[in-house]
């Protein structure tokens, strides 16, 4: 069972090998209690980390160009006693700015719908971001003839990242030595480290861990 706290969908407008276009940024969040919003969040959570969406685990980069502005903004949001809708929207805008910057300088990259949600499940509270693409489908029209239509491809997440609130707080309270054995985020990227798909991970400041991993 998933409870949606906040959710929004923006769009990164970029076709592969073409110049990037201005992003589509929503000014208002989705209604968290809306049935379709809950279904969308639940669907994405369900396929995250599935066999076709193998997740890697790690932490935010601590310094350097690869860190960007998102980790600090995420820290402010997660650490706040009570986060508002405005706080969440600002967090997603920072993420979109970082994604735009990375995709702009990567001719092989492509955009898509950028989904963000703050949600609660039996496993705890999470912040998730995911890139969703469109795919063609078939339906029957009023004359019962098949015709094409476009729908969201929810069979596979092209790129995504998820932060576990409780594990992040545990990391902040841990000693330097303990932190070396802790992870609080996971991410999905088809070819981690490859420029064409790695810009998403880089934009959000994620870094893979290189020890025995614990699910985040």
């Amino acid at each position: 069972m998933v409870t949606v706290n906040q959710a929004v969908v923006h769009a990164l407008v970029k076709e592969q090998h073409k110049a990037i276009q201005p992003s589509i940024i929503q000014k208002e969040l989705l209604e968290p209690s809306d049935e379709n919003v809950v279904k969308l969040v639940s669907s994405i959570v369900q396929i995250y980390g599935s066999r076709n969406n193998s997740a890697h685990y790690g932490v935010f980069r601590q310094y350097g160009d690869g860190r960007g502005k998102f980790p600090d903004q995420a820290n402010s949001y997660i650490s706040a006693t009570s986060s508002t809708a405005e706080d969440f929207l600002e967090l997603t805008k920072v993420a979109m700015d970082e994604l735009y910057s990375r995709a702009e300088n990567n001719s092989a990259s492509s955009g898509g719908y950028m989904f963000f949600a703050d949600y609660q499940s039996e496993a705890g509270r999470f912040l998730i971001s995911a890139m969703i693409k469109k795919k063609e489908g078939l339906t029957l029209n009023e004359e019962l003839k098949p015709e094409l239509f476009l729908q969201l491809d929810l069979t596979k997440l092209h790129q995504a990242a998820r932060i576990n609130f409780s594990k992040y707080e545990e990391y902040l309270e841990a000693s330097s030595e303990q932190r070396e054995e802790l992870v609080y985020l996971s991410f999905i990227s088809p070819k981690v480290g490859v420029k064409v798909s790695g810009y998403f991970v880089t934009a959000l400041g994620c870094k893979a861990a290189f020890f025995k991993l614990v699910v985040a």
Side-chain angles (χ1 to χ4, degrees):
M1 180 65 181
V2 170
T3 299
V4 181
N5 298 320
Q6 313 282 3
V8 71
V9 178
H10 303 302
L12 185 67
V13 187
K14 171 75 165 63
E15 291 187 31
Q16 196 171 39
H17 304 301
K18 293 186 178 180
I20 195 168
Q21 302 299 310
S23 297
I24 300 174
I25 306 297
Q26 297 300 309
K27 296 181 179 180
E28 296 182 358
L29 301 182
L30 298 171
E31 173 51 56
S33 61
D34 182 272
E35 182 179 353
N36 289 328
V37 173
V38 175
K39 285 183 178 179
L40 177 60
V41 176
S42 298
S43 296
I44 291 174
V45 171
Q46 184 175 5
I47 63 176
Y48 189 94
S50 65
R51 186 172 64 179
N52 292 328
N53 296 283
S54 181
H56 306 264
Y57 301 93
V59 296
F60 287 132
R61 293 185 180 278
Q62 294 301 307
Y63 49 82
D65 180 60
R67 179 174 171 83
K69 298 179 180 179
F70 181 77
D72 289 334
Q73 195 70 30
N75 176 70
S76 296
Y77 181 80
I78 296 172
S79 302
T81 304
S82 58
S83 300
T84 66
E86 289 73 20
D87 294 331
F88 181 77
L89 190 58
E90 183 59 29
L91 173 65
T92 67
K93 288 179 179 179
V94 169
M96 289 300 295
D97 286 343
E98 292 291 330
L99 287 163
Y100 181 96
S101 177
R102 301 292 175 175
E104 183 181 26
N105 297 313
N106 185 341
S107 63
S109 66
S110 62
Y113 296 112
M114 292 305 309
F115 163 86
F116 298 89
D118 172 346
Y119 72 93
Q120 203 98 15
S121 70
E122 293 179 356
R125 186 181 175 190
F126 296 87
L127 175 66
I128 189 170
S129 59
M131 178 178 286
I132 307 171
K133 304 281 189 176
K134 291 185 293 186
K135 69 174 183 178
E136 290 185 343
L138 281 175
T139 188
L140 297 177
N141 61 22
E142 294 180 354
E143 299 175 348
L144 301 183
K145 294 180 180 180
E147 61 181 25
L148 288 173
F149 73 101
L150 292 176
Q151 61 180 340
L152 294 177
D153 184 0
L154 295 178
T155 61
K156 183 176 182 179
L157 298 178
H158 294 265
Q159 302 188 77
R162 182 169 66 177
I163 303 170
N164 183 314
F165 276 59
S166 62
K167 290 185 180 296
Y168 182 75
E169 291 167 356
E170 179 184 352
Y171 181 88
L172 293 181
E173 295 173 358
S175 65
S176 298
E177 184 176 336
Q178 291 172 326
R179 287 184 177 186
E180 293 180 0
E181 298 297 324
L182 295 174
V183 293
Y184 51 80
L185 64 79
S186 57
F187 55 89
I188 294 171
S189 188
K191 300 175 183 177
V192 176
V194 176
K195 188 176 181 181
V196 65
S197 59
Y199 81 90
F200 183 95
V201 174
T202 304
L204 299 186
C206 303
K207 180 181 73 171
F210 297 101
F211 51 83
K212 185 176 179 180
L213 301 177
V214 180
V215 174

